Amino acid sequence: MYIETSLPRKQGDKARLISPAYKSLTTGKCFQFWYHMYGKDIGSLNVYTKTKSSSTKNLVWNRSGDRGNLWKVAQFTVKGTADFQV
């Protein structure tokens, strides 16, 4: 997924990518993805989990601002007793 942060984008614009539903993970599993955040207008990249039975989001990872002109890997662990989405 690519999101352009320069014009015509405005501060506060958002994009969302929602995963399919995953089964509960009582033992925990590692999720991994790559990201590239470069430039003076970079905002924040937030990753949340949400169970199907609740509208409450749980922040599991985030970064803000310019992280250099290179791709970086991110990881977080998910553990829970209910089916969820990222």
Side-chain angles (χ1 to χ4, degrees), residues 38-78:
Y38 176 64
K40 67 181 182 69
D41 296 318
I42 294 296
S44 297
L45 175 58
N46 300 310
V47 178
Y48 299 91
T49 58
K50 180 182 91 61
T51 63
K52 291 179 77 176
S53 61
S54 172
S55 62
T56 304
K57 298 183 295 187
N58 178 40
L59 181 66
V60 293
W61 186 92
N62 83 322
R63 291 294 181 272
S64 295
D66 185 345
R67 297 290 168 162
N69 191 11
L70 64 149
W71 286 92
K72 297 186 176 199
V73 67
Q75 301 180 55
F76 59 93
T77 300
V78 174

Side-chain angles (χ1 to χ4, degrees), residues 7-28:
L7 288 174
R9 295 290 156 258
K10 301 180 295 284
Q11 187 171 359
D13 280 354
K14 294 181 181 178
R16 290 187 174 97
L17 178 65
I18 301 172
S19 76
Y22 294 102
K23 295 290 184 189
S24 62
L25 299 169
T26 55
T27 58

